Amino acid sequence: MASRPVQKETSSRPHFLQFNNLACETAGGKVIFATDEWFAPARNLLKRDPPEFIASAFTEYGKWMDGWETRRKRIAGHDWCIIQLGVPGIIHGFDVDTSFFTGNYAPYTSIQAACLGGSMMPSFTLEGDRTGMAASPSQFEAVAQLYSDSWEELVPMIKLNPGYSESCHNYLNVTYPHRVTHIRLNIYPDGGIARLKVYGIGKTDWSTVSSQDLVDLVALVNGGVCVGYSDAHFGHPRNMIGLGRADNMGDGWETARRLDRPKVLKVNEKGILQVRGCEWAILRLGHPGIISKIEVDTNHFKGNFPDSCKIEACSLTPDEENNFIHNQWRSDKPPKWRILLSPQKLKAHHRHLFAGESVVQCGPVTHVRLVIAPDGGVSRLRLWGILHPKMKILSLITYPHVVPNP
């Protein structure tokens, strides 16, 4: 397999950025309560797109800001909001992003969490544009039923940095091995935050799933996670396991163009390009299983889809996985990859479905490696199969920093 130099991530970037954002609006995250939303509504915290600043933009309440900003508090207390995760799961870290909030950022924050059942949720209605609004007495009364002030503290009160480009990302590591459905974001005493990203791994209750049910074993909501990749120049491979179909190319995995491609391209008898280089992404299934149906979706990738792909699979123990991650998937004894899907020619902007004889029966597996040639983008990867109850679910207790593998 030919390789090329890649720009590695800096060591200052925490490991949890490899995980998916469980609170993003595109994953179904939503704000169900906020004490105050005078200058900018709390729902902006969960936007997928990066914050922006428009110097000339004002509303009747003051300066328009792309985030959550409360009024300058003139009463006792502090501001806070409650966010319902779109995908309940295990949280590994936060990015409290104060972008563009320079003279008006929240000076301090703390974060609490809980796992709530549906029957515990009071009725909340935070519809429409809430700019210029604050929580009503009835809303305070309803939210009090959650006793959120006594939730588990994941992040104690810490000082935040202002929203300049070199200081806006406040990365917060978390060690909390329990499922979370809701978080409470506290700011002290008031101010603004542009985005809150909650990085973690989805956690589902597998006891409710029959061993005969066909489920997407790699889906974000089922605990799938990216544990390694060769290149993510334009889009991270974690995007492939997101909810629904991709909104655009930015919602998929896309690599740079390989520089080792032949100057004049040739194809084999199957029409597949003959190139020596490729790109890959390794994903751990949410539950070990036997895969029988595959979807490779190149939605939105019209002039930059891969020419072909193949999928390999293997079974790893937690210790083996950690060792491979520490070594960036380079080892004298690599995983024993088995072919799950032989090389397949791909099309632009197309949903490719493979089942029956196309999918090689290779028994129960824990990990898959999607290999694309020579490069390009894939928006979604779906791997349907049945659970293998005798194999244990792998969990990330410690997770070393993952960087692209050259």
Side-chain angles (χ1 to χ4, degrees):
M1 181 183 299
S3 63
R4 57 173 166 74
V6 297
Q7 181 179 359
K8 296 195 175 183
E9 297 182 2
T10 63
S11 58
S12 61
R13 289 173 62 83
H15 69 84
F16 59 73
L17 296 183
Q18 303 301 323
F19 302 142
N20 290 77
N21 179 6
L22 305 181
C24 185
E25 61 180 1
T26 59
K30 58 183 178 180
V31 175
I32 63 171
F33 176 85
T35 55
D36 188 87
E37 300 173 272
W38 182 266
F39 290 107
R43 67 182 183 187
N44 290 340
L45 289 168
L46 311 184
K47 287 182 179 178
R48 182 184 65 190
D49 295 334
E52 60 179 338
F53 182 76
I54 303 174
S56 60
F58 288 83
T59 73
E60 62 179 302
Y61 305 102
K63 181 71 185 74
W64 178 88
M65 294 296 291
D66 190 8
W68 173 39
E69 185 181 1
T70 68
R71 74 189 80 199
R72 302 187 188 214
K73 210 162 190 65
R74 299 295 184 257
I75 58 175
H78 67 90
D79 287 313
W80 49 280
C81 69
I82 291 181
I83 296 167
Q84 179 178 312
L85 301 183
V87 179
I90 308 298
I91 297 173
H92 288 262
F94 297 95
D95 177 11
V96 182
D97 182 356
T98 57
S99 290
F100 304 114
F101 287 92
T102 54
N104 53 347
Y105 68 101
Y108 297 89
T109 190
S110 70
I111 302 176
Q112 298 166 267
C115 184
L116 305 180
S119 59
M120 302 173 64
M121 293 302 299
S123 176
F124 292 98
T125 55
L126 294 183
E127 303 297 332
D129 182 7
R130 292 190 47 85
T131 305
M133 300 181 70
S136 66
S138 63
Q139 289 171 332
F140 270 109
E141 184 178 345
V143 80
Q145 299 175 43
L146 299 181
Y147 302 99
S148 63
D149 55 340
S150 62
W151 288 359
E152 188 76 22
E153 187 177 68
L154 302 192
V155 178
M157 188 188 298
I158 63 160
K159 187 176 182 179
L160 293 176
N161 296 315
Y164 300 105
S165 59
E166 67 275 11
S167 63
C168 61
H169 292 286
N170 297 269
Y171 294 127
L172 309 173
N173 281 287
V174 171
T175 302
Y176 186 67
H178 304 290
R179 186 175 186 262
V180 171
T181 61
H182 293 74
I183 62 171
R184 170 169 160 156
L185 174 66
N186 302 296
I187 59 175
Y188 304 96
D190 53 37
I193 293 173
R195 296 287 187 271
L196 177 69
K197 294 186 178 179
V198 183
Y199 290 99
I201 301 173
K203 186 174 179 60
T204 194
D205 182 2
W206 291 109
S207 65
T208 63
V209 180
S210 166
S211 60
Q212 299 305 310
D213 288 344
L214 203 64
V215 295
D216 183 0
L217 297 172
V218 79
L220 163 63
V221 295
N222 291 330
V225 61
C226 175
V227 294
Y229 58 91
S230 60
D231 183 82
H233 192 88
F234 295 109
H236 200 288
R238 65 169 172 246
N239 295 336
M240 293 189 294
I241 61 175
L243 280 65
R245 298 194 77 191
D247 292 333
N248 51 49
M249 289 193 302
D251 192 20
W253 172 39
E254 185 182 1
T255 73
R257 299 190 193 211
R258 290 193 66 92
L259 302 180
D260 59 1
R261 290 167 296 153
K263 295 179 178 64
V264 178
L265 299 173
K266 297 181 180 179
V267 300
N268 65 11
E269 66 279 1
K270 295 182 179 180
I272 295 177
L273 287 179
Q274 297 300 282
V275 292
R276 65 192 187 101
C278 62
E279 306 291 358
W280 52 266
I282 297 173
L283 301 111
R284 190 220 299 155
L285 306 183
H287 193 292
I290 301 172
I291 298 168
S292 59
K293 183 180 176 183
I294 297 170
E295 176 183 329
V296 179
D297 190 357
T298 58
N299 190 29
H300 302 297
F301 291 99
K302 301 174 183 178
N304 50 352
F305 62 99
D307 176 70
S308 64
C309 78
K310 67 177 180 179
I311 300 177
E312 301 165 323
C314 71
S315 295
L316 298 176
T317 66
D319 287 342
E320 288 173 332
E321 181 195 65
N322 278 327
N323 181 60
F324 285 124
I325 292 173
H326 273 293
N327 291 288
Q328 301 173 34
W329 297 94
R330 290 183 301 225
S331 174
D332 295 334
K333 295 182 178 180
K336 296 180 180 179
W337 294 110
R338 307 190 294 276
I339 290 293
L340 180 66
L341 181 70
S342 60
Q344 303 286 329
K345 183 78 172 179
L346 298 180
K347 299 177 182 179
H349 190 54
H350 185 73
R351 213 170 192 169
H352 305 79
L353 297 173
F354 306 98
E357 295 182 357
S358 298
V359 179
V360 179
Q361 296 303 308
C362 54
V365 297
T366 60
H367 293 70
V368 297
R369 178 165 69 172
L370 172 63
V371 181
I372 59 173
D375 48 41
V378 174
S379 62
R380 291 290 185 269
L381 175 67
R382 307 296 187 202
L383 302 173
W384 288 283
I386 58 173
L387 308 184
H388 192 274
K390 294 182 180 181
M391 294 180 69
K392 292 184 178 180
I393 302 174
L394 276 69
S395 61
L396 288 180
I397 299 173
T398 59
Y399 197 96
H401 182 212
V402 178
V403 296
N405 188 29

